[in-house]
Amino acid sequence: MNKDFYDIYGFKFSVAGPAQISFQKEFRYFSTKEIPDGDLNLIIKPSNRQDLSTIVLRGTNIGIQLPFSPKEKELLYYFKAPHEQILSYTESLMTWEDKTFLHAGVVSKNGKAYIFTGKADVGKTSSVLALLEQGYDYLADDWCVIGNNIVYPFPKTVHLFCYNLSNSTLLKRFPVLFLIKSKFLCFAMSITRKISPHRYFSMLLDKIEPRFDLPITKIFPGSKIGNPCTIKKVFYIERRKVNKVKFSKIQPDNLARRMSYWNFYEKTSSLFREYSCYVQKSGIYNRKIDERLNRDYKILKKIFSNSIIYGITLPDDLKINNKNVEDIFRIDSEN
């Protein structure tokens, strides 16, 4: 069976079957030559069985089998299974002893990394794209790999949502017809939210909100993917109803706790839900999965303890663009 192989900073896996197309799109930066089976951390391959036993993918009657037992390496999927969910579970299964994911946008300049972290919709991607316009190198726009006081590039397809398309940095880079279609869809979503503000309806809209997937080289032709580098500054971003940008102190332990739980919520909560059911049914547990949350916290605490951290509160209506981004975050300031 034809396979593709990937090596993401020591986490090695292979992919076979229909999902290969989506993995080639998302992880082409990490594509590598054939890896011996004994060195693989994960083997992803299709199955003719529709009733695979671990879980049933949302909105379908299609099963997927996850390698929860410590001795297992295979993620099996029915060949018609949605690729996006296979990708999501694959990332959830990626683990390192000395590294972890961080929900952040990251750029670098002169060998130093600038990290923009926080929950969703605060301006991480907008900040990264605006700084690329200013000549910074790209490391990540949504998730990065971080450990040993080093930020590792995690270049994937850039996922743009409605709020990103209000950024003037982006508007001039897309064809007129694309923008008209995008703006119409986003306007319709906005009106629908106002008409039906119920939180459950809002959660449904979050699931169906249009997303535009483009490689970073399509948005910024000639953009450079930076090398792994040490951290210069970390910005923890929040959005509130304030009149101006406000800076505050945030302790490394506090930020590590917040972001390890946000990693859990955004990256691994679905995996842990299914794992919990698996342990209850089988009585078999996996130490790496059990210790994931605490390991993330310890790695992030060590990193943030050796970093310059700024808490920054931005007005809800502040638009980040290439003209104001360096001033907003005081990129060149040493204070």
XYZ file of all heavy atoms in Angstrom, residues 115-158:
340
model
N 5.610 35.855 20.136
C 4.472 34.948 20.275
C 3.224 35.738 20.643
O 3.243 36.555 21.574
C 4.749 33.885 21.360
C 5.941 33.016 20.955
C 3.520 33.024 21.607
C 6.350 32.020 22.020
N 2.121 35.466 19.938
C 0.829 36.094 20.218
C -0.139 34.977 20.593
O -0.556 34.197 19.739
C 0.330 36.856 18.989
C 1.296 37.912 18.517
C 2.305 37.585 17.612
C 1.226 39.206 18.994
C 3.217 38.544 17.185
C 2.135 40.174 18.574
C 3.131 39.843 17.677
N -0.465 34.898 21.878
C -1.287 33.797 22.351
C -2.541 34.331 23.035
O -2.685 35.519 23.286
C -0.474 32.879 23.283
O -1.220 31.696 23.561
C -0.120 33.576 24.593
N -3.454 33.438 23.357
C -4.738 33.795 23.941
C -5.812 32.886 23.370
O -5.524 31.985 22.581
N -7.051 33.118 23.759
C -8.124 32.274 23.236
C -8.443 32.680 21.798
O -7.784 33.548 21.214
C -9.356 32.362 24.126
C -10.044 33.701 24.146
C -11.323 33.617 24.983
C -12.147 34.895 24.851
N -13.415 34.805 25.600
N -9.481 32.083 21.225
C -9.828 32.340 19.828
C -10.361 33.763 19.637
O -10.890 34.380 20.572
C -10.878 31.327 19.366
N -10.197 34.275 18.436
C -10.800 35.538 17.985
C -10.235 36.786 18.665
O -10.916 37.813 18.707
C -12.328 35.528 18.200
C -13.014 34.382 17.477
O -12.327 33.622 16.776
O -14.234 34.254 17.625
N -9.014 36.736 19.175
C -8.462 37.933 19.839
C -7.513 38.711 18.931
O -7.135 39.836 19.254
C -7.736 37.568 21.155
C -8.714 37.039 22.185
C -6.590 36.593 20.910
N -7.093 38.118 17.804
C -6.235 38.842 16.878
C -4.884 38.209 16.626
O -3.982 38.873 16.121
N -4.722 36.938 16.939
C -3.428 36.273 16.750
C -3.051 36.190 15.267
O -1.961 36.593 14.869
C -3.463 34.874 17.374
C -3.742 34.841 18.864
C -3.653 33.447 19.438
C -4.647 32.486 18.856
N -6.065 32.877 19.150
N -3.981 35.655 14.468
C -3.698 35.525 13.040
C -3.539 36.885 12.380
O -2.637 37.100 11.560
C -4.821 34.727 12.348
O -4.866 33.408 12.896
C -4.572 34.616 10.847
N -4.398 37.836 12.746
C -4.309 39.182 12.167
C -2.960 39.823 12.482
O -2.364 40.496 11.630
C -5.446 40.060 12.701
O -6.703 39.560 12.299
N -2.458 39.614 13.696
C -1.163 40.174 14.087
C -0.034 39.563 13.268
O 0.871 40.266 12.800
C -0.921 39.945 15.581
O -1.918 40.562 16.367
N -0.086 38.255 13.084
C 0.946 37.568 12.308
C 0.951 38.054 10.866
O 2.003 38.392 10.301
C 0.728 36.036 12.367
C 1.569 35.328 11.316
C 1.078 35.509 13.751
N -0.219 38.109 10.250
C -0.296 38.516 8.848
C 0.144 39.960 8.659
O 0.797 40.302 7.667
C -1.718 38.319 8.330
C -2.224 36.870 8.310
C -3.660 36.809 7.827
C -1.341 35.988 7.460
N -0.196 40.821 9.624
C 0.226 42.219 9.533
C 1.739 42.346 9.659
O 2.369 43.160 8.973
C -0.465 43.035 10.626
N 2.369 41.557 10.517
C 3.818 41.618 10.693
C 4.562 40.997 9.512
O 5.681 41.406 9.195
C 4.215 40.941 12.005
C 3.869 41.753 13.257
C 3.992 40.903 14.513
C 4.753 42.995 13.371
N 3.958 40.017 8.863
C 4.566 39.492 7.635
C 4.673 40.592 6.586
O 5.648 40.655 5.836
C 3.741 38.327 7.087
C 3.736 37.019 7.894
C 2.909 35.968 7.175
C 5.135 36.507 8.149
N 3.671 41.446 6.561
C 3.695 42.575 5.637
C 4.853 43.526 5.957
O 5.342 44.237 5.095
C 2.362 43.324 5.731
C 2.220 44.479 4.778
C 1.335 44.139 3.588
O 1.109 42.950 3.341
O 0.887 45.065 2.915
N 5.301 43.501 7.216
C 6.399 44.361 7.643
C 7.761 43.691 7.517
O 8.768 44.229 7.963
C 6.181 44.789 9.107
C 4.915 45.617 9.341
C 4.983 46.954 8.649
O 4.673 47.065 7.467
N 5.408 47.981 9.355
N 7.786 42.484 6.958
C 9.061 41.826 6.698
C 9.478 40.780 7.704
O 10.596 40.254 7.632
N 8.610 40.423 8.651
C 8.931 39.370 9.615
C 8.790 38.002 8.941
O 8.105 37.860 7.923
C 7.985 39.448 10.820
C 8.247 40.625 11.740
C 7.910 41.921 11.366
C 8.827 40.440 12.990
C 8.136 43.004 12.200
C 9.059 41.507 13.837
C 8.719 42.786 13.438
O 8.949 43.856 14.277
N 9.438 37.003 9.520
C 9.329 35.639 9.016
C 8.165 34.924 9.689
O 7.830 35.202 10.841
C 10.623 34.856 9.279
C 11.798 35.380 8.465
O 11.560 36.035 7.430
O 12.949 35.143 8.884
N 7.601 33.989 8.974
C 6.433 33.239 9.454
C 6.872 31.988 10.210
O 7.702 31.220 9.732
C 5.571 32.853 8.255
C 4.413 31.941 8.560
C 3.156 32.444 8.866
C 4.573 30.554 8.500
C 2.083 31.606 9.115
C 3.507 29.704 8.761
C 2.260 30.228 9.058
O 1.209 29.385 9.314
N 6.285 31.770 11.387
C 6.486 30.517 12.117
C 5.169 29.762 12.296
O 5.129 28.545 12.184
C 7.131 30.765 13.479
C 8.586 31.245 13.462
C 9.096 31.472 14.875
C 9.484 30.243 12.752
N 4.103 30.482 12.631
C 2.795 29.847 12.815
C 1.726 30.929 12.854
O 2.013 32.082 13.192
C 2.773 29.032 14.112
N 0.494 30.549 12.533
C -0.594 31.517 12.634
C -1.693 31.047 13.584
O -2.553 31.829 13.977
C -1.204 31.791 11.252
C -1.915 30.573 10.699
O -1.238 29.713 10.116
O -3.144 30.476 10.838
N -1.674 29.775 13.964
C -2.728 29.251 14.835
C -2.162 28.387 15.959
O -2.488 28.566 17.123
C -3.717 28.443 13.991
C -4.991 28.104 14.744
O -5.345 28.831 15.687
O -5.650 27.107 14.384
N -1.319 27.439 15.599
C -0.660 26.577 16.579
C 0.830 26.505 16.250
O 1.214 26.438 15.080
C -1.238 25.160 16.542
C -2.643 25.069 17.028
C -3.779 25.191 16.282
C -3.071 24.848 18.374
N -4.883 25.060 17.072
C -4.484 24.850 18.370
C -2.402 24.659 19.582
C -5.240 24.655 19.520
C -3.151 24.464 20.730
C -4.553 24.469 20.695
N 1.653 26.520 17.292
C 3.085 26.295 17.114
C 3.507 25.143 18.008
O 2.765 24.711 18.892
C 3.888 27.560 17.455
S 3.882 28.002 19.215
N 4.699 24.625 17.756
C 5.309 23.629 18.637
C 6.379 24.354 19.441
O 7.180 25.110 18.885
C 5.926 22.470 17.831
C 6.627 21.478 18.758
C 4.840 21.764 17.018
N 6.392 24.135 20.746
C 7.251 24.916 21.623
C 7.855 24.016 22.698
O 7.210 23.102 23.207
C 6.429 26.071 22.260
C 7.303 27.071 22.984
C 5.325 25.547 23.156
C 6.549 28.360 23.347
N 9.130 24.259 23.020
C 9.801 23.471 24.046
C 11.264 23.853 24.142
O 11.860 24.346 23.178
N 11.865 23.669 25.298
C 13.283 23.972 25.505
C 13.602 25.437 25.193
O 14.679 25.751 24.664
C 14.167 23.054 24.639
C 13.935 21.586 24.936
O 13.935 21.172 26.091
N 13.700 20.803 23.899
N 12.637 26.320 25.498
C 12.775 27.763 25.235
C 12.937 28.082 23.744
O 13.455 29.132 23.379
C 13.952 28.358 26.022
C 13.759 28.223 27.518
O 12.664 28.422 28.021
N 14.818 27.860 28.230
N 12.496 27.163 22.903
C 12.567 27.322 21.455
C 11.157 27.246 20.869
O 10.335 26.431 21.299
C 13.443 26.218 20.811
C 14.874 26.283 21.361
C 13.435 26.324 19.297
C 15.648 27.500 20.933
N 10.890 28.099 19.877
C 9.660 27.993 19.097
C 10.000 27.324 17.763
O 10.928 27.757 17.072
C 9.026 29.370 18.831
C 7.719 29.207 18.059
C 8.762 30.102 20.132
N 9.250 26.289 17.434
C 9.479 25.544 16.198
C 8.387 25.904 15.187
O 7.204 25.942 15.540
C 9.453 24.040 16.468
C 10.515 23.576 17.440
C 10.301 23.647 18.818
C 11.731 23.079 16.986
C 11.279 23.234 19.715
C 12.714 22.659 17.877
C 12.478 22.739 19.242
O 13.443 22.331 20.136
N 8.756 26.183 13.940
C 7.735 26.538 12.953
C 6.741 25.407 12.735
O 7.120 24.233 12.727
C 8.554 26.829 11.688
C 9.881 26.177 11.899
C 10.122 26.177 13.379
N 5.495 25.786 12.570
C 4.436 24.808 12.308
C 3.578 25.327 11.154
O 2.413 25.680 11.316
C 3.590 24.596 13.569
C 2.721 23.368 13.523
C 3.280 22.107 13.354
C 1.350 23.468 13.668
C 2.480 20.975 13.318
C 0.534 22.335 13.634
C 1.106 21.086 13.466
N 4.181 25.402 9.954
C 3.467 25.966 8.808
C 2.445 24.987 8.245
O 2.761 23.856 7.902
C 4.588 26.228 7.796
C 5.646 25.250 8.148
C 5.566 25.024 9.628
N 1.220 25.436 8.203
C 0.132 24.663 7.626
C -0.696 25.597 6.746
O -0.362 26.766 6.585
C -0.751 24.073 8.730
C -0.062 23.031 9.603
C -0.940 22.629 10.770
C -2.295 22.148 10.305
N -3.198 21.839 11.430
N -1.788 25.090 6.220
C -2.720 25.946 5.501
C -3.270 26.984 6.481
O -3.659 26.642 7.598
C -3.874 25.116 4.919
O -3.331 24.133 4.032
C -4.843 25.992 4.175
N -3.294 28.254 6.072
C -3.835 29.309 6.921
C -5.353 29.285 6.813
O -5.913 29.327 5.709
C -3.299 30.693 6.505
C -3.887 31.783 7.391
C -1.778 30.711 6.592
